[in-house]
Amino acid sequence: MCCDGEGLLLVQKVSELYHKISTLQSLQPSKHVNSLFSQLVLTCTPPPPPPPSPPLIDISKLSSTVQTMRSHLIKLCGQAEGLLEHHYSTILASHQNPLDHLSLFPYYSNYLKLTHLEFSILTRYISSSLPSKVAFIGSGALPFSSIIMALKYLPTTEFHNFDVDSSANAKATALVASDVDLSRRMSFHTTDIMDVTSDMLGEFEVVFLAALVGMEKEEKVKVIEHLRKNMTSGSLLMLRSAYGARAFLYPVVEASDLRGFEILTTFHPTDDVVNSIVLARL
């Protein structure tokens, strides 16, 4: 059994929201769609139980029926997130200086907190100098992580963003085009990361892997294994994972998925930040 009491109520609430979301005719942003996903996020980010209590939900102990529902729900969340990012990227690009209006995105504050956490963790393990070149895999139409990291924390670093969606990259490019410095330091590559070899991946001191790259376990493990074979020894891999009830929203990265990497640290948030952070060294 995965849980009892509050945990069972949480699973029941998630199941109810899954039924409503999975029967929607469209996941395009609308008042109703946004409300359902907001309810889902709130449900999956409950206040943590007092230590040393375990989380309300142990994903590994869910029934096969709930596991199947969770797998479908993660895919629906990924689709909806992509549509929401495309929608807001278009809105932001309509402004003369898009970077001045990033807060229009409803989850912008979450990205600010998450990127701050990632940089804080990163600085504990990088050498005395900041990385000169990093990669973001799965950057999307609204590459907030790259943009915030570049503007606030890595002001001289070169950013290479990878996404399989050419329209996402076109929109992302438009967001940074008006900023002379950022457009010079930030490039966007439309390609499957599995087709990128050590000639390029070997240049990066840090590689960031988005949570929704590899929504199925087998797919994510293949991506991580490809990175292991093509990144440079000593380089860092930062991944986004999920813990407890948050694993209804995003895939979980486990230690066994990171064969060949040394796991340096794992951080599980307890506030409104959704993603856990895993940092590993090759």
mmCIF file of all heavy atoms in Angstrom, residues 2 75 94 190 217:
data_model
loop_
_atom_site.group_PDB
_atom_site.id
_atom_site.type_symbol
_atom_site.label_atom_id
_atom_site.label_comp_id
_atom_site.label_asym_id
_atom_site.label_seq_id
_atom_site.Cartn_x
_atom_site.Cartn_y
_atom_site.Cartn_z
ATOM 1 N N CYS A 2 0.529 2.242 -0.820
ATOM 2 C CA CYS A 2 1.381 3.425 -0.970
ATOM 3 C C CYS A 2 1.249 4.385 0.188
ATOM 4 O O CYS A 2 2.162 5.150 0.473
ATOM 5 C CB CYS A 2 1.038 4.165 -2.267
ATOM 6 S SG CYS A 2 -0.476 5.143 -2.161
ATOM 7 N N LYS A 75 2.195 12.615 -18.984
ATOM 8 C CA LYS A 75 2.189 12.972 -20.409
ATOM 9 C C LYS A 75 1.228 14.125 -20.688
ATOM 10 O O LYS A 75 1.547 15.041 -21.465
ATOM 11 C CB LYS A 75 1.821 11.753 -21.249
ATOM 12 C CG LYS A 75 2.888 10.678 -21.250
ATOM 13 C CD LYS A 75 2.430 9.450 -22.016
ATOM 14 C CE LYS A 75 3.484 8.353 -21.949
ATOM 15 N NZ LYS A 75 3.027 7.100 -22.600
ATOM 16 N N SER A 94 5.309 39.678 -28.385
ATOM 17 C CA SER A 94 4.570 40.820 -28.938
ATOM 18 C C SER A 94 5.023 42.145 -28.321
ATOM 19 O O SER A 94 4.701 43.215 -28.845
ATOM 20 C CB SER A 94 3.062 40.623 -28.711
ATOM 21 O OG SER A 94 2.741 40.720 -27.335
ATOM 22 N N THR A 190 17.906 22.843 -33.079
ATOM 23 C CA THR A 190 16.751 21.972 -33.298
ATOM 24 C C THR A 190 17.264 20.592 -33.664
ATOM 25 O O THR A 190 17.640 20.320 -34.808
ATOM 26 C CB THR A 190 15.852 22.525 -34.408
ATOM 27 O OG1 THR A 190 15.386 23.825 -34.058
ATOM 28 C CG2 THR A 190 14.630 21.607 -34.606
ATOM 29 N N LYS A 217 10.370 6.028 -18.254
ATOM 30 C CA LYS A 217 11.622 5.642 -17.595
ATOM 31 C C LYS A 217 12.683 5.178 -18.582
ATOM 32 O O LYS A 217 13.838 5.622 -18.545
ATOM 33 C CB LYS A 217 11.322 4.546 -16.568
ATOM 34 C CG LYS A 217 12.544 3.844 -15.991
ATOM 35 C CD LYS A 217 13.313 4.712 -15.036
ATOM 36 C CE LYS A 217 12.596 4.846 -13.717
ATOM 37 N NZ LYS A 217 13.396 5.613 -12.735
#
